[in-house]
């Protein structure tokens, strides 16, 4: 059974940093495209960053230069290092995986993702 479990969320002030983690089980994460999405109250879920099986990464414009996605295949773990956080980054952050649609995953297409975690909450105060 595939499971994705996020952690690392919390409350920090604007300008601070957080590192999110997502531990995958039930499959080999290195063979999947992995991504982070987020959803703020009253808003649609949006793609944040993705990393393909070959290590290529994609970032949404609103996080470029501030967030870094990475993975440790040996630990089956995905990370999101978030720096220079802004109040508008406040949201529930979700880890997701795609086995068959790597292009859609890298395009941060919500519908390309097959597996989802339950999310970890990030709150940024001004």
């Amino acid at each position: 059974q595939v499971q994705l479990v996020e952690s690392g969320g919390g409350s920090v002030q604007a300008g601070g940093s957080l590192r999110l983690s997502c531990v995958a089980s039930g499959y080999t994460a290195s063979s999947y495209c992995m991504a982070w999405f987020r959803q703020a109250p009253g808003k649609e879920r949006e793609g944040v960053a993705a990393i393909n099986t070959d290590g290529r990464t994609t970032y949404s414009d609103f996080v470029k230069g501030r967030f870094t996605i990475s993975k440790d295949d040996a630990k089956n773990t995905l990370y999101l290092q978030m720096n220079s956080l802004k109040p508008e980054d406040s949201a529930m952050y979700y880890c997701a995986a795609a086995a068959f649609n790597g292009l859609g995953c890298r395009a941060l297409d919500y519908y390309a993702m097959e597996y989802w975690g339950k999310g970890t909450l990030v709150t940024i105060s001004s």
Side-chain angles (χ1 to χ4, degrees), residues 53-117:
T53 54
D54 58 4
R56 287 182 293 174
T57 57
T58 304
Y59 295 94
S60 289
D61 287 343
F62 50 79
V63 303
K64 277 182 182 176
R66 300 188 298 125
F67 291 11
T68 302
I69 189 171
S70 62
K71 59 177 181 168
D72 185 333
D73 290 338
K75 296 182 178 179
N76 247 20
T77 302
L78 177 72
Y79 301 101
L80 185 68
Q81 178 66 43
M82 305 187 295
N83 299 327
S84 302
L85 284 161
K86 305 175 182 180
E88 51 264 43
D89 293 320
S90 296
M92 186 72 80
Y93 282 71
Y94 298 91
C95 171
F100 302 109
N101 194 343
L103 284 177
C105 171
R106 284 194 63 214
L108 296 173
D109 180 356
Y110 172 92
Y111 296 101
M113 313 311 293
E114 296 160 56
Y115 303 105
W116 292 87

